[in-house]
Amino acid sequence: MGKCTFKGGVHPFDGKEYSKDKPIKELFPDEGEMVFPLSQHIGAPAVPVVAKGDYVLAGQLIAEAGGFISANIHSSVSGTVKAIEPRTLATGGKCNSIIIENDGEYKEVEYVPKKLEELSRDEIRERIKAAGVVGMGGAGFPTNVKLTPKNPEQIDYIIVNGAECEPYLTSDYRRMLEESDKLVMGLKVALALFDHAKGIIGIEDNKPEAIEEMRRKVADEPNIEVKELKTKYPQGGERCLIYATTGRSINSSMLPADAGCIVHNVDTIFSIYMAVIEGKSLTKRIITVTGDGVKNPCNFYVWLGTNYRQLLEAAGGAVGEPQKYISGGPMMGFSMYSLDVPVVKGSSSLLVFKEDVVSKIESSACIRCGRCGEGCPSNLLPAKLAGFAAKNDEAGFVKFDGMECVMCGSCSFVCPAKRPLTQQIKAMRSIVLANRRKK
């Protein structure tokens, strides 16, 4: 059987060797402040249900969903609510946050485990909602909402995104190797919500050990299949993954459910298992700390609310004076100007680099080589779209399908003239969306 893939894409240096063989280590947070932003998801901010001076337990609800598209937030530690005030996020913006003074005792609420066969579909969704599970690949969409599509009878596939196509990241890889049983059970929970859906676990072929392990675990599961994906960025992008594994296509006007698919990140599937079977809320996640600027790259199991600076210290500290810190992957993540920010549900990594290569790049005029179009997974003409953006030509940008851009960065990466194509297109998309909202 051939390897599943899609048209376009690029092949950046993957950097997986820094941390792929490092087993997950539990990282207990330092005593002191733990910061829980009220916006750790797409949608309305959560609403605090605690006040300054309250004592809380690990796993206790501290903020409830502020609307249908929102998510509960729970404390990861026991301690006293110190304040509710704006705090800086990894993105550089500020968000109202609950500050808890960690007492170091980790007293927990009582959890109520359940067996899958004991639960109705509504109860499964309610446990996922109550636990505050969101998409943990970065998007942060509330998982209970995603698992409640308009036409549930039309869902054919639940796809687990094990591609981990972003360079350097290895947290999903380690999860598949070390906790494969729980991943399979989490997928079975999601499948139980639909009448005839089948499970697909897509894994890139640069992770042969994970492919072998997951295939071994699903050998007796007739409704679950592991599909080997060709290693290529952005293989883990939602549209690319759906096409590669099912042959179905979606565009910007569609949801995956419109093509009969629901896609979940590996850590999201694990969190579904924890919520439904073990009854535990989302209070921890795996973070990869890696790059040539860190002494001992690691994969840590981290309590939400932990300060990023502690992650770097736990990995042995920096090598010299790194010029670049990135939260997320190098292709779609964002630079950090400070490490004094909290780990949140969507945090996946801390990348540390000795040199800031991007800041030293000098762009030049387009040489019309067409490489940006060849690399674009959406089959667009990025150079032309960037030209429309430079001229603020909204009509031309929309006419040439600029809104179909998934902002993966492939065009900028492959451009020999080093033009900031993705940034220009992203800015224009924001303008178009803003103008549409005004109308």
Side-chain angles (χ1 to χ4, degrees):
M1 182 185 293
K3 296 171 185 175
C4 303
T5 190
F6 62 97
K7 184 179 179 180
V10 295
H11 297 85
F13 169 67
D14 71 7
K16 305 286 187 183
E17 66 269 20
Y18 285 107
S19 59
K20 73 181 184 70
D21 296 323
K22 303 294 182 69
I24 302 165
K25 295 196 300 186
E26 209 159 18
L27 177 61
F28 285 86
D30 296 333
E31 290 187 28
E33 285 188 354
M34 300 286 286
V35 180
F36 300 90
L38 296 176
S39 288
Q40 300 188 34
H41 48 266
I42 287 177
V47 179
V49 294
V50 293
K52 182 179 178 180
D54 288 351
Y55 184 81
V56 299
L57 301 175
Q60 181 177 327
L61 180 71
I62 57 175
E64 62 184 6
F68 178 64
I69 308 296
S70 187
N72 291 341
I73 296 172
H74 303 77
S75 177
S76 60
V77 298
S78 57
T80 304
V81 177
K82 187 177 179 181
I84 300 177
E85 62 188 24
R87 286 295 180 95
T88 303
L89 306 178
T91 55
K94 286 201 171 185
C95 173
N96 219 28
S97 306
I98 298 173
I99 319 302
I100 295 175
E101 188 75 16
N102 176 20
D103 62 12
E105 296 184 17
Y106 304 101
K107 298 175 184 176
E108 294 185 283
V109 298
E110 184 176 344
Y111 302 113
V112 183
K114 290 284 186 178
K115 293 181 179 179
L116 180 57
E117 54 270 23
E118 297 175 348
L119 299 168
S120 68
R121 291 177 177 178
D122 286 343
E123 288 171 331
I124 290 172
R125 292 187 175 98
E126 184 55 39
R127 283 172 78 85
I128 292 170
K129 177 182 179 181
V133 181
V134 302
M136 297 174 71
F141 193 83
T143 300
N144 65 292
V145 178
K146 183 182 278 193
L147 287 172
T148 313
K150 183 170 60 175
N151 299 306
E153 70 282 356
Q154 294 179 10
I155 299 301
D156 300 319
Y157 299 105
I158 304 292
I159 304 171
V160 180
N161 181 3
E164 200 163 40
C165 64
E166 274 272 13
Y168 293 93
L169 277 58
T170 58
S171 58
D172 288 348
Y173 172 71
R174 293 309 313 179
R175 180 79 86 185
M176 288 186 284
L177 286 184
E178 299 183 41
E179 299 187 283
S180 52
D181 285 333
K182 294 178 180 178
L183 286 177
V184 173
M185 192 64 221
L187 179 53
K188 290 173 71 173
V189 170
L191 290 172
L193 295 171
F194 305 98
D195 291 330
H196 57 267
K198 295 184 180 298
I200 296 175
I201 304 172
I203 308 173
E204 283 191 326
D205 61 1
N206 63 350
K207 306 172 185 67
E209 297 88 351
I211 293 173
E212 181 182 354
E213 172 66 10
M214 294 308 301
R215 280 183 170 163
R216 187 171 67 85
K217 293 296 183 180
V218 303
D220 297 325
E221 301 291 343
N223 288 332
I224 301 177
E225 177 184 5
V226 175
K227 291 200 173 185
E228 185 175 357
L229 309 173
K230 185 176 179 179
T231 299
K232 182 170 58 170
Y233 178 85
Q235 186 71 262
E238 197 166 56
R239 296 186 200 177
C240 298
L241 185 63
I242 289 172
Y243 181 80
T245 56
T246 71
R248 300 181 181 186
S249 299
I250 62 171
N251 57 40
S252 62
S253 65
M254 301 171 64
L255 294 172
D258 296 328
C261 302
I262 292 176
V263 181
H264 287 301
N265 167 266
V266 163
D267 230 6
T268 308
I269 287 290
F270 176 82
S271 298
I272 289 173
Y273 162 81
M274 295 296 286
V276 176
I277 305 303
E278 296 195 11
K280 294 184 177 180
S281 50
L282 175 52
T283 58
K284 306 173 187 176
R285 68 158 299 142
I286 304 178
I287 304 283
T288 302
V289 183
T290 186
D292 63 5
V294 64
K295 291 180 181 177
N296 182 29
C298 295
N299 286 292
F300 292 120
Y301 202 28
V302 182
W303 273 243
L304 301 183
T306 300
N307 192 286
Y308 263 85
R309 192 170 297 281
Q310 187 185 344
L311 303 182
L312 181 59
E313 293 169 355
V319 176
E321 296 185 7
Q323 296 180 2
K324 191 84 163 183
Y325 295 97
I326 296 176
S327 177
M331 299 296 286
M332 293 187 73
F334 42 85
S335 298
M336 302 175 67
Y337 74 92
S338 172
L339 294 182
D340 292 317
V341 295
V343 170
V344 296
K345 294 178 183 182
S347 303
S348 60
S349 71
L350 171 61
L351 307 186
V352 187
F353 296 114
K354 293 178 182 178
E355 294 187 44
D356 184 357
V357 177
V358 174
S359 68
K360 299 174 183 177
I361 290 176
E362 294 185 8
S363 61
S364 58
C366 175
I367 62 173
R368 301 187 182 279
C369 64
R371 292 182 190 176
C372 59
E374 292 173 359
C376 178
S378 298
N379 200 29
L380 304 177
L381 299 172
K384 195 171 188 69
L385 293 173
F388 288 129
K391 298 174 185 175
N392 201 31
D393 184 350
E394 185 175 330
F397 183 85
V398 173
K399 180 180 178 181
F400 279 80
D401 295 323
M403 301 309 289
E404 295 301 318
C405 173
V406 295
M407 298 177 288
C408 65
S410 295
C411 55
S412 294
F413 173 80
V414 80
C415 176
K418 305 302 180 187
R419 300 180 65 213
L421 302 171
T422 305
Q423 292 87 338
Q424 290 175 304
I425 294 170
K426 184 177 182 179
M428 193 67 210
R429 286 181 86 258
S430 297
I431 291 171
V432 173
L433 290 172
N435 288 338
R436 287 179 178 177
R437 284 193 291 269
K438 289 177 183 177
K439 295 177 182 178

